[in-house]
Amino acid sequence: QVQLMESGGGSVQPGEALRLSCAASGSISRINAMGWYRQATGKQREWVAGITNDGNRGYAESVKGRFAISRDVAANKVYLYMMNLNSDDTAAYYCGANGRNDLRAMEYWGKGTLVSISS
């Protein structure tokens, strides 16, 4: 099994930046890709970004140009740097991982970290 733990959430004002981190543990050799999803209150969980072990990245259209995903394979971590945040970015953010080299379809999940954007 793979365990994932997110950190770095919080409350910021519109236009500010925030960096989320996710640490993987357990059967980390199973991981070929990691990524982030988010879920706002009353909405479905949506894919935000993904990255494979060899650095292939993908982003949802709503965050392109504002969010950047990166991976430290040796440290078993994935990061999401979020810039120019707005109220639409308010959500619980979940880290995911899979063993299929897929940017979107996660098999393992963290418990989430809350991000709130308000003035």
Side-chain angles (χ1 to χ4, degrees), residues 30-45:
R30 296 182 180 184
I31 298 175
N32 286 327
M34 298 183 75
W36 294 90
Y37 273 70
R38 67 185 181 186
Q39 186 169 18
T41 302
K43 294 187 177 181
Q44 289 188 331
R45 189 176 294 193

Side-chain angles (χ1 to χ4, degrees), residues 3 5 9 15 17 19-21 25 40-41 43 53-54 61 79 85 98 118:
Q3 292 80 44
M5 181 174 292
R19 190 183 80 159
L20 304 182
S21 301
S25 61
T41 302
K43 294 187 177 181
N53 283 3
D54 57 7
E61 285 297 324
Y79 305 96
L85 288 161
N98 70 65
S118 65

Side-chain angles (χ1 to χ4, degrees), residues 5-68:
M5 181 174 292
E6 304 93 339
S7 61
S11 182
V12 298
Q13 295 186 342
E16 294 187 337
L18 203 61
R19 190 183 80 159
L20 304 182
S21 301
C22 174
S25 61
S27 301
I28 55 177
S29 62
R30 296 182 180 184
I31 298 175
N32 286 327
M34 298 183 75
W36 294 90
Y37 273 70
R38 67 185 181 186
Q39 186 169 18
T41 302
K43 294 187 177 181
Q44 289 188 331
R45 189 176 294 193
E46 63 174 358
W47 176 71
V48 175
I51 184 169
T52 62
N53 283 3
D54 57 7
N56 184 34
R57 293 171 172 83
Y59 297 93
E61 285 297 324
S62 59
V63 306
K64 273 184 182 178
R66 300 189 301 121
F67 289 14

Side-chain angles (χ1 to χ4, degrees), residues 97-112:
N98 70 65
R100 297 181 290 176
N101 220 36
D102 191 314
L103 292 175
R104 294 177 180 248
M106 303 301 163
E107 301 170 69
Y108 308 101
W109 294 96
K111 294 184 178 181

